[in-house]
Amino acid sequence: MQCPSVSRLVRDNSVLPPLRHGSKLADVSAFASRSFSAVSSASSSPFSPPPPYEDVHFVSRLVFVSPLSGSVEPSSLTSPGSSRPNPIGGLAMSCNSQVSISHLREALNSLDTQMASLLNQRQELESHLEQAVRSQSPIYRVPEEILSSIFVTGVCQSGDQDSLLVSNLMLVCRYWRDVVNNSPELWATICIGPHDTLQKARLKLARSKSVPLDVTVNFPPRAENATGAMENIIRAMDLLRPALWRARSFRLSVPDRPQAHAALVRCQEDAPLLETLSICIFHSMQEDHYSSPCLPLFNGHTPRLHSCSFTSFNFGWDREIVAGLRVLQLGGYWNGFSPSVEKILEMLRGCPRLEELALRNMSDVDPEASAHSEPECMSNKLVKLPRLVKASFYYAGNMRVRMLLSQLSFPALESLEFCYLDNLTSILEHLRQQSLTSLPLRHLRIESSFFNESKFVSLLKRLMSLTTLELIDIEDVSSFLLKNLSSPPISHPWTCPKLERLSLDGCTSLEWDSLRGFVESRLSGKSPQLSSASMTTLRAVSSASASAHIHALAAGRCSPVPGPHRLTSIDVTHCHQINKEMVQWLRTYVRDVCCDPAKGIWGEPVL
């Protein structure tokens, strides 16, 4: 068989430089194998370029692998009786050998298979090494119980449980996924609604095992949720009914009373772990035959219940349901369904440890009926609520709120809110009488109401611990209030000396000069009256004596009276009399200033 590479070498033999005697040749076997591979590759591809000459003329011996026996056979390229290599004779011998191209390719394929097997083994060893290195990391040496506690703290105790966060934890690694699946506390929050399916709730019920549950059934009154809402609510309650005995909190929100009745009829088993109960009916103005109270909830056995929130749910004002509560929120009762003052007082008498009271969206009591019942209420003993900390009244009826506050004693009240109650003058007078004994009020909010400003200032003078004052849409607030807050009478304490946050949202009767004087007086604790007196004295005496006299006057005036706190936040939103330059001045001395965003000529917000 004639090799094209051999003929090319024979033709170009004249260009091969002769070998010099005594030259040090390189490794013969390495060059021989490389030369043979070059020759074989050239012979296998007729279009491939010829091998370089320097890879041929240094070869003295070629090494062949027998395709039959697999043994290594050296071949000499030197002619007999000559010390110089004879490349023509060696290549001719290689061409005449029994080694075929197919056998060489099989040998190469065998080597490739072995190399691939070795590469697979290397990758497997590298993966084992990586796992071994990971196992030495501290996070992988944390016991499963401690890691589970970390997950529970990060997911459950940081607010509402985020199912997406739980899913992300399961995607980290297999070990974390097993820890999450074996942590029943992470699956204890069960929500059923238009966006939370029953399959997901069924999975959480299975993984939560026997830990206390936080159950929420929420079907808002939307048009797309109206069809089939009753059927979905019944299916949800049938699924939850076997596990309600371990419910820690139960929140039900449905569009109307028939749906609430269908859901609560299935709540007849005891609930020994129930702590929070919330029932909300969105269509509060609806009157139907379900207005009467349903069966006793949870068989009347809720020993741990301490928080109740009822919106348009008529429970017959049963004292047993709300007995011993710490949080009571009532709202959405209109016309004949609104509770009377006597009913509310009876419920409050059964809650001596009450800490939070909220009355929202109620029709006011009948004036004629209240005129007859008010003397009876005044003759009764006061309802003492020594632990009441927060109270809010949103459109609860001016007469109802006034009669309630006249019969309540709350020496620990810290937060109070009045919204949409018309005239608050008589209510403020009851608060002033309460402040004569004890009223550590820290937060006061009044919205969309009116009152006598002088009565309000008299109340503020008694609130020495007030830190936050919010006046929203109050037209009766004028410069008289700010002047009393900025300049106390001589030898009298400051009005609200601890005031740090002031909101004047929508108070358009204020003047800029009074607001600026109030902010300046809270910077150093010196009233503008003192500053004007100091300037008058400064003009009458020399500079050195004036400085000493002013210092003595300030020390004599301010030493018995502690200075006020500096204002840290002020809100002048919807105050059209405050322009951009005034806001910039306020930001110079007050850390947080809220105002209307700047707008362009077309009303768009400008950053």
Side-chain angles (χ1 to χ4, degrees):
M1 181 177 61
Q2 183 70 24
C3 295
S5 61
V6 175
S7 61
R8 178 66 180 271
L9 289 174
V10 173
R11 288 194 302 267
D12 297 339
N13 189 26
S14 60
V15 300
L16 293 175
L19 292 176
R20 290 179 298 179
H21 293 283
S23 63
K24 296 182 180 180
L25 296 177
D27 189 7
V28 176
S29 60
F31 281 105
S33 61
R34 186 172 61 175
S35 175
F36 184 77
S37 63
V39 172
S40 61
S41 62
S43 61
S44 61
S45 178
F47 299 97
S48 60
Y53 296 133
E54 58 270 20
D55 291 343
V56 177
H57 71 272
F58 285 104
V59 177
S60 61
R61 300 183 66 184
L62 287 176
V63 180
F64 297 99
V65 180
S66 176
L68 300 178
S69 61
S71 61
V72 179
E73 300 177 0
S75 176
S76 176
L77 298 178
T78 59
S79 301
S82 176
S83 60
R84 293 185 61 183
N86 189 353
I88 300 175
L91 293 174
M93 182 191 297
S94 65
C95 293
N96 295 329
S97 63
Q98 298 178 355
V99 179
S100 63
I101 296 177
S102 61
H103 291 166
L104 292 175
R105 288 177 176 175
E106 291 179 1
L108 290 176
N109 293 335
S110 176
L111 291 177
D112 291 339
T113 304
Q114 294 179 7
M115 292 175 62
S117 177
L118 292 176
L119 287 176
N120 292 335
Q121 295 180 10
R122 177 183 177 84
Q123 293 177 359
E124 185 177 359
L125 290 176
E126 288 179 350
S127 64
H128 289 317
L129 176 61
E130 186 178 358
Q131 292 178 2
V133 173
R134 285 181 181 179
S135 63
Q136 300 300 322
S137 178
I139 188 60
Y140 289 99
R141 290 181 295 178
V142 175
E144 182 177 349
E145 294 79 7
I146 297 179
L147 190 60
S148 176
S149 300
I150 295 174
F151 291 163
V152 172
T153 303
V155 175
C156 299
Q157 298 184 4
S158 61
D160 295 338
Q161 183 176 358
D162 188 2
S163 58
L164 183 60
L165 179 58
V166 176
S167 302
N168 292 336
L169 291 176
M170 297 177 65
L171 294 176
V172 173
C173 63
R174 184 180 302 174
Y175 176 63
W176 280 30
R177 184 188 63 186
D178 296 337
V179 171
V180 171
N181 289 334
N182 296 326
S183 301
E185 293 84 0
L186 296 176
W187 308 96
T189 301
I190 300 176
C191 300
I192 301 179
H195 304 288
D196 300 295
T197 61
L198 294 178
Q199 290 78 5
K200 186 186 297 184
R202 189 177 291 107
L203 177 63
K204 289 186 175 182
L205 283 174
R207 292 183 177 179
S208 62
K209 299 180 181 179
S210 60
V211 298
L213 300 176
D214 296 320
V215 181
T216 301
V217 180
N218 182 20
F219 287 89
R222 298 178 181 176
E224 61 271 15
N225 302 329
T227 59
M230 176 68 79
E231 182 180 358
N232 294 331
I233 293 172
I234 293 176
R235 288 181 178 179
M237 294 305 302
D238 290 338
L239 177 63
L240 297 172
R241 186 172 184 175
L244 287 179
W245 65 270
R246 57 188 178 104
R248 179 174 49 197
S249 64
F250 180 76
R251 296 176 175 87
L252 176 67
S253 300
V254 292
D256 48 34
R257 290 192 179 95
Q259 297 170 352
H261 185 273
L264 297 176
V265 163
R266 289 163 174 79
C267 299
Q268 299 180 3
E269 290 77 9
D270 296 348
L273 304 179
L274 188 63
E275 298 178 358
T276 303
L277 176 61
S278 175
I279 301 175
C280 177
I281 300 175
F282 293 104
H283 296 160
S284 57
M285 299 297 293
Q286 184 181 11
E287 298 182 5
D288 45 38
H289 61 280
Y290 291 102
S291 300
S292 59
C294 58
L295 297 175
L297 297 178
F298 303 102
N299 201 20
H301 183 71
T302 54
R304 295 189 179 182
L305 186 63
H306 64 78
S307 176
C308 278
S309 177
F310 297 143
T311 302
S312 302
F313 171 64
N314 299 308
F315 57 97
W317 314 115
D318 189 3
R319 294 181 54 183
E320 295 182 359
I321 298 179
V322 298
L325 295 179
R326 286 184 292 176
V327 178
L328 177 60
Q329 298 176 353
L330 302 175
Y333 296 97
W334 307 100
N335 303 329
F337 298 108
S338 61
S340 62
V341 178
E342 293 80 4
K343 293 291 184 180
I344 297 179
L345 290 177
E346 289 179 3
M347 291 187 291
L348 295 180
R349 287 190 181 94
C351 305
R353 296 179 298 174
L354 192 67
E355 299 177 1
E356 180 179 349
L357 174 64
L359 302 179
R360 296 170 177 259
N361 299 329
M362 295 183 180
S363 299
D364 204 352
V365 295
D366 188 7
E368 297 180 358
S370 61
H372 297 287
S373 60
E374 186 172 4
E376 299 179 0
C377 294
M378 298 297 293
S379 61
N380 296 331
K381 295 182 179 180
L382 293 177
V383 179
K384 297 182 180 180
L385 301 175
R387 298 186 180 183
L388 186 63
V389 177
K390 182 179 180 180
S392 59
F393 304 94
Y394 278 70
Y395 198 78
N398 185 277
M399 190 171 298
R400 176 184 287 107
V401 175
R402 178 174 58 84
M403 296 176 63
L404 280 177
L405 293 182
S406 63
Q407 295 297 310
L408 296 180
S409 175
F410 34 86
L413 188 64
E414 296 182 359
S415 177
L416 183 60
E417 298 178 1
F418 296 115
C419 300
Y420 306 98
L421 291 179
D422 297 334
N423 193 357
L424 291 177
T425 304
S426 58
I427 297 176
L428 296 179
E429 181 62 25
H430 288 296
L431 292 177
R432 193 189 67 82
Q433 295 178 3
Q434 176 69 42
S435 65
L436 297 177
T437 55
S438 175
L439 186 60
L441 202 61
R442 297 179 179 272
H443 178 269
L444 177 61
R445 176 187 176 93
I446 301 177
E447 180 179 355
S448 299
S449 304
F450 59 92
F451 48 78
N452 189 322
E453 194 172 10
S454 60
K455 296 284 186 180
F456 183 61
V457 171
S458 301
L459 172 63
L460 292 180
K461 292 180 180 180
R462 303 292 307 177
L463 304 179
M464 303 300 296
S465 59
L466 189 68
T467 60
T468 303
L469 177 61
E470 298 182 9
L471 302 175
I472 313 299
D473 293 331
I474 305 297
E475 295 292 338
D476 295 331
V477 174
S478 63
S479 302
F480 175 77
L481 172 63
L482 295 180
K483 289 180 181 179
N484 281 273
L485 291 175
S486 57
S487 57
I490 300 176
S491 70
H492 281 75
W494 283 78
T495 303
C496 303
K498 297 182 180 181
L499 185 64
E500 297 179 355
R501 292 174 291 275
L502 177 64
S503 177
L504 301 172
D505 188 357
C507 298
T508 58
S509 300
L510 295 173
E511 296 180 359
W512 164 246
D513 294 337
S514 60
L515 181 59
R516 183 181 60 183
F518 166 71
V519 174
E520 290 177 347
S521 66
R522 297 280 167 162
L523 295 177
S524 59
K526 297 183 177 64
S527 63
Q529 294 179 358
L530 178 60
S531 301
S532 60
S534 302
M535 294 301 297
T536 304
T537 309
L538 180 60
R539 299 189 187 96
V541 295
S542 61
S543 60
S545 59
S547 177
H549 181 72
I550 292 174
H551 179 74
L553 182 61
R557 178 184 177 89
C558 299
S559 57
V561 180
H565 291 188
R566 182 165 181 167
L567 205 63
T568 60
S569 176
I570 188 170
D571 187 356
V572 290
T573 307
H574 302 134
C575 295
H576 57 81
Q577 73 274 21
I578 306 298
N579 56 31
K580 183 178 179 180
E581 290 75 13
M582 298 175 183
V583 171
Q584 293 297 332
W585 185 91
L586 290 175
R587 288 175 176 171
T588 305
Y589 300 102
V590 183
R591 183 182 61 189
D592 299 327
V593 178
C594 298
C595 60
D596 293 324
K599 296 182 179 180
I601 57 176
W602 301 106
E604 72 278 4
V606 178
L607 298 179

